[in-house]
Amino acid sequence: MHGLLATSLGVTCAAALTLPLAPPAGAAPEPPAPMAEAAAAVAGAARPDPPQAPGAPPRAASATPDLPGSTQSLPLAPLARDRALGGAGDQGLPRRDVRHFSLLGVVWNDPDTPLHGRVQVRTRAAGTHAWSGWQDLETHNDDHGADPGTAERTSGHVRAGTAPLWVGDSDGVEVRVHGEDTDPHGRTGTTRAALTTPGAAAALPKGLRLELIDPGTEDTRAVHLSAEAAGTRQIRPAALDAEARAASAANADLAPVGALEIPALDRAQTRSELLSLRSGQLTAAQKAKPYIGPRPGIVTRRGWGADEKLREKSFVYTSKVKAAFVHHTASGNTYKCSQAPSLIRGIYRYHVRSMGWRDIGYNFLVDKCGTIYEGRAGGVAKAVLGAHTLGFNTNSMGIAVIGTFGSTKPPAAAVTAVARLTAWKLGLYGGNPKGKTYLKSGGGNLYRKGKNVRLNVISGHRDGFATECPGRQLYGKLGTARSSAARLQGR
């Protein structure tokens, strides 16, 4: 874990900076796979990679194309100009053709080993000769994930990695990883020319691999259109496999099994549902005058096309939801709202296949048009244990706004969606969006394990961990979200 430093090593959720550098000579190309049109909103597009032994490193790319929804895992190697430096030199991949992908990240073996350095990528838009500029991947991504000592964290499957970056449909890539230089006293940021101690460049972690994620490209909008034409937004339960049926059944109190979305309710309907779902946990005062916002519409995992065979089968719950942590995915703002399901499938696959988590880390995601998506499986009205705010996953939920909001203002629709979602979900558990609550730290770089910490009921990720997330601009809108959510609850 790393605290915020007044150096280039300050922890952030993720970053993507374009640098105008000249491209090096390319490597011998491999023919890319045929391009398929990107999906808008799909059900059942992603499919799993072949099973992998527990604790095994990410698999290498196979010689044959993967099915739609796949991961290419490519080992990094010392770059030619740095081989004389031994294992501490730059690593990467020369420019090369690859099968289609839309999201990428770099992982390494030990989740407790930080990468002190810089990871940069360039990509080529599919079917073109246009290469992007160099973009930085955020290497300090250890502010996400399961809490220390939990079953998910100690499973033996977890790896460290950068934050993922959405690049859109691409078929070429180049990567370079440069170890941060240190002076003889261990300070970072010194140039190699200024070093007087041989081998002072920080060694890079072992097992560096580039993960190229294809979130699935089958366009099954016809499923949605046929469902709408039939006057329903669900798929016959008989068509669901066991894992998909279980994920959908976790929301059976809110929508039919197989539903693509959970419909919005008005205030009266929501209060009636509250009494039905949680009557035994409500006080007499809460029953007489419940403070809860109208339930917003939520796209289910079935609706965004989750491959339920990727995740672990069981669901894990915490006691209640006392707080909501708001994040940004830091995956860029150029996506279209119709691409959000693909982007979510990419993050899901990266979290599970590449990082070794049991499921996607966030409990909910929100796109820039204000659409709300179910995240980690287990039921949107339930207290599902996530892996979003290291040290504070217990008795909380994580909401990720899709985009990067360090210098870019979040769309009003996204902020409104956060307010609507928190007004409803916190209301189920008696939470006041403008209030404070106490959570016990599971361990992190701001608070020691076991410390009771007073937090806003709606907090930013940076309130629980020293990080830039959810970005300065989105963090500045949390006051608006709190006020709006409280108003929606009738406070």
Side-chain angles (χ1 to χ4, degrees), residues 33 45-50 59-62 64-73 98-104 210-217 307 310 342 345-350 353-354:
R47 302 177 191 172
D49 299 315
R59 60 177 56 80
S62 62
T64 57
D66 288 346
L67 295 172
S70 63
T71 302
Q72 301 173 69
S73 186
V98 292
R99 298 194 303 276
H100 283 240
F101 69 97
S102 297
L103 180 139
L104 56 77
L210 173 67
E211 303 286 289
L212 303 176
I213 312 298
D214 168 19
T217 54
D307 179 356
L310 289 181
S342 293
R345 290 197 307 276
I347 294 173
Y348 170 47
R349 180 172 280 271
Y350 184 73
R353 285 293 190 192
S354 302

Side-chain angles (χ1 to χ4, degrees), residues 218-240:
E218 292 181 9
D219 188 346
T220 59
R221 283 172 289 184
V223 172
H224 293 253
L225 292 174
S226 62
E228 289 174 330
T232 180
R233 294 280 294 173
Q234 66 183 92
I235 296 175
R236 289 185 300 107
L240 304 177

Side-chain angles (χ1 to χ4, degrees), residues 58-355:
R59 60 177 56 80
S62 62
T64 57
D66 288 346
L67 295 172
S70 63
T71 302
Q72 301 173 69
S73 186
L74 308 175
L76 305 190
L79 295 176
R81 62 181 178 275
D82 284 322
R83 281 182 181 147
L85 297 175
D90 290 3
Q91 293 190 34
L93 284 176
R95 186 191 300 188
R96 59 174 294 175
D97 293 2
V98 292
R99 298 194 303 276
H100 283 240
F101 69 97
S102 297
L103 180 139
L104 56 77
V106 170
V107 301
W108 54 97
N109 293 345
D110 186 354
D112 296 317
T113 298
L115 192 160
H116 294 296
R118 193 175 191 183
V119 179
Q120 296 178 301
V121 298
R122 305 177 72 227
T123 58
R124 183 184 61 204
T128 74
H129 299 289
W131 284 83
S132 72
W134 286 101
Q135 299 184 85
D136 282 317
L137 301 187
E138 176 49 53
T139 60
H140 299 284
N141 194 39
D142 53 1
D143 49 356
H144 296 82
D147 290 346
T150 59
E152 182 171 2
R153 177 72 178 187
T154 60
S155 66
H157 302 177
V158 177
R159 290 178 283 272
T162 67
L165 178 68
W166 177 262
V167 294
D169 191 17
S170 304
D171 59 13
V173 70
E174 181 179 3
V175 186
R176 61 190 186 192
V177 182
H178 174 71
E180 184 75 30
D181 298 312
T182 60
D183 68 16
H185 301 288
R187 294 186 294 263
T188 59
T190 307
T191 63
R192 288 189 179 178
L195 292 173
T196 58
T197 304
L204 295 174
K206 294 181 180 179
L208 287 167
R209 305 183 75 90
L210 173 67
E211 303 286 289
L212 303 176
I213 312 298
D214 168 19
T217 54
E218 292 181 9
D219 188 346
T220 59
R221 283 172 289 184
V223 172
H224 293 253
L225 292 174
S226 62
E228 289 174 330
T232 180
R233 294 280 294 173
Q234 66 183 92
I235 296 175
R236 289 185 300 107
L240 304 177
D241 58 33
E243 293 81 6
R245 178 187 289 270
S248 186
N251 291 313
D253 290 334
L254 312 182
V257 173
L260 302 178
E261 64 183 16
I262 296 167
L265 299 180
D266 62 25
R267 186 177 302 278
Q269 291 171 324
T270 301
R271 290 183 175 181
S272 176
E273 180 183 74
L274 171 65
L275 296 175
S276 172
L277 293 176
R278 296 188 55 78
S279 179
Q281 291 78 38
L282 299 178
T283 66
Q286 288 173 326
K287 291 179 180 179
K289 188 176 182 181
Y291 292 103
I292 186 169
R295 188 181 78 193
I298 301 171
V299 176
T300 64
R301 291 170 63 90
R302 181 73 179 178
W304 55 259
D307 179 356
E308 301 295 354
K309 291 185 179 298
L310 289 181
R311 61 169 176 83
E312 291 189 14
K313 289 184 178 180
S314 62
F315 309 136
V316 180
Y317 299 97
T318 185
S319 299
K320 60 187 70 175
V321 178
K322 297 173 64 178
F325 286 98
V326 178
H327 305 253
H328 67 170
T329 61
S331 48
N333 302 315
T334 59
Y335 71 94
K336 298 176 182 178
C337 291
S338 61
Q339 294 176 310
S342 293
L343 204 160
I344 295 169
R345 290 197 307 276
I347 294 173
Y348 170 47
R349 180 172 280 271
Y350 184 73
H351 282 181
V352 176
R353 285 293 190 192
S354 302
M355 301 288 290

